[in-house]
Amino acid sequence: MKNCQNRCLDAGRRTFGGNCSCWSKRILLHGLKNDKSHLNVSKGTSSGKRHLMLYKHARSIIFVFGLMGTFFLLNSLIISIVHCLNLQNGSQSQRKVNISQDDRIDINVEKEPRVMYERLLNLASRALAKNQFRQDAPTLWKEPYKQASAWKPCANKLDPSKQGETMKSNGYILVSANGGLNQQRVAVCNAVAVASLLNATLVLPRFLYSSVWKDASQFGDIYQEEYFLNLLKDDVSIVKELPSHMQSLDFKAIGSVITDSDIMKESKPIHFVNSVLPLLLRNGVVHLLGFGNRLGFDPMPFKLQRLRCKCNFHALKFVPKIQQVSSLLVRRIRKYGATRSLLDMQLLGKFMPSVPLKQHDMSRGPSKYLALHLRFEMDMVAYSLCDFGGGENERKELQGYREIHFPTLLARMKDTELPSPADLRKMGRCPLTPEEAALMLSALGYKHGTYIYLAGSQIYGGKSRMLPFTSLYPNLVTKEDLLTPSELAPFRNFSSQLAALDFIACATADVFAMTDSGSQLSSLVTGYRTYYGGGHAPTLRPNKKRFAKILSGNDTIEWNDFEERVRKMIEEGQRVRLRRLGRSIYRQPRCPECMCKMK
């Protein structure tokens, strides 16, 4: 008690909720002067009565302020308990999301939840609660434009002009593809086209080991070799390995190595004819080292364009090991087994599930799910040079990552005046945050209980960054949540094979949503859904520039207006168009070379 009194007298301030009030103590000290002798004054004297009255008055005041202090203490305690429960619920909603960080970044310190659009998140939460028991909008799980169903796959049609045609090969082409699963897939299809263009024999492509992907998988570990060879045998000559007399050649010494730096990005076919064919004719073999997106899309002969489509959409089938586990994955997301879509048949093969899970009530219908590719990895975030609301600590962390991984970018930052983070956001150059992805889905009308499969879980910022998303959509799962450790064991340390599981889960989803249309996974999945979806595989592709403008009104925009503008943006991206000049055939296969339009 004395300590409290002394603190109050020294500080000259009142305290609430601490079982003492400095103001009331001062009255007590003033009335009694810290001397118990005041209580011994005769009650019969006027002075004694005054002291007694003063004592009683002080005691009443102490009681009142003590009561107030107790109230404030209880109030603070209740708020603390509620806050802890919210955090616990938030962490529980996170339990499904297996999110990791780069092992060079300190992630031991738990970060505060990062929120950039608090007002819109509150509005979204209210809208989801309000719409919880309403029926879904008719177009929520369907493509909005009927013209999409008019286009059918036809890249595997035989070319009559090549029937029975046999020409002497100009030599062998070795291809070593770099990157991850999706970059390598594009490289394989381009290599097939180049081999056909140069009338060369293609050696089954090899995949380079990357210090980033850390995956030693080769072609046969991911794709069915025999199926690939047989399907393309009438289009191009492909062998598994070089003839024995060529295997010991020093390709660099004879000048037959062509690297990525020797070929311009998206080169025209004539470049390969002028620069690669002479070496091939001279040495009988050429090694395209680090080959990737070196072959452009236009201008391109019809038969080569069709061959690339045939390779991507027909010849590259995942090995049974990947198909089997992907079938389990898809089945567990849907909670049922019966499905007969063309997408499922192409990607899952004989492992396409046909028996419903016992615990699923089929009378309630199948469980739809939305797959989301959230492109918000550390490298993407750091390279973007954008600001994501993390303050000075975030800026230092991202700058440190750039110094390790992007020295060329740092040099450019010093030599060139680059746009500010705010300008980059306005230009649509910033990757969407998980928070922005959640706002997009809320505006489109997806309910709180929607099942969402998250592809790629290396989210920068970890659980704190995901908290705004999972507070709106708690039914978020990854392959690590749905598959047992023993089922995942054959794929450990093979990032490309793990990526194949994500590819299938995204391609076979009822709806696929992306946050960055430039990523290879999103691009290839979109094309696959267009090719095999039959107009029943909608894809949500935000226009980041338009979305940034919509979000800039966070402080004032009404929710109805926000919903309308986001829906228009997405519907615009879903319009049925022919592939535009120069655009990827793998992402936009709606063109005569790849698909046929039904009348």
Side-chain angles (χ1 to χ4, degrees), residues 15 130 202 264 372-373 376 380 388 407 420 599:
T15 61
K130 186 178 178 181
L202 178 67
M264 289 178 57
L372 172 67
H373 185 216
F376 202 72
M380 176 80 168
F388 300 97
S420 68
K599 294 182 180 179

Side-chain angles (χ1 to χ4, degrees), residues 504-518:
I504 293 175
C506 288
T508 58
D510 296 279
V511 173
F512 173 60
M514 68 181 76
T515 58
D516 178 32
S517 59

Side-chain angles (χ1 to χ4, degrees), residues 331-386:
R331 189 180 179 195
R332 287 169 187 170
I333 303 171
R334 290 174 175 163
K335 296 184 172 56
Y336 82 114
T339 176
R340 284 288 182 268
S341 77
L342 194 55
L343 278 166
D344 291 345
M345 292 174 65
Q346 289 297 321
L347 289 166
L348 300 176
K350 67 179 182 180
F351 298 100
M352 186 175 61
S354 58
V355 181
L357 294 180
K358 292 180 180 179
Q359 64 267 31
H360 181 66
D361 181 5
M362 287 300 293
S363 64
R364 298 176 60 186
S367 297
K368 290 182 168 64
Y369 79 96
L370 180 148
L372 172 67
H373 185 216
L374 194 52
R375 189 78 168 88
F376 202 72
E377 295 92 344
M378 183 71 170
D379 59 340
M380 176 80 168
V381 171
Y383 197 84
S384 72
L385 300 178
C386 297

Side-chain angles (χ1 to χ4, degrees), residues 135-176:
Q135 278 193 333
D136 286 338
T139 58
L140 199 59
W141 298 93
K142 298 178 180 179
E143 293 209 44
Y145 301 103
K146 292 182 179 179
Q147 301 95 312
S149 60
W151 289 86
K152 304 296 180 184
C154 66
N156 61 335
K157 285 188 175 181
L158 294 175
D159 184 356
S161 65
K162 299 205 74 172
Q163 292 298 305
E165 180 183 353
T166 56
M167 293 179 63
K168 184 181 177 180
S169 172
N170 288 326
Y172 292 89
I173 292 181
L174 288 170
V175 170
S176 297

Side-chain angles (χ1 to χ4, degrees), residues 31 109 118 153 310 313 332-333 356 362 395 414 458 501 521 555:
V109 180
E118 186 172 3
K310 182 176 181 178
F313 297 114
R332 287 169 187 170
I333 303 171
M362 287 300 293
R395 283 190 284 274
K414 291 178 182 178
Q458 303 278 330
L501 302 181
L521 174 66
D555 295 332

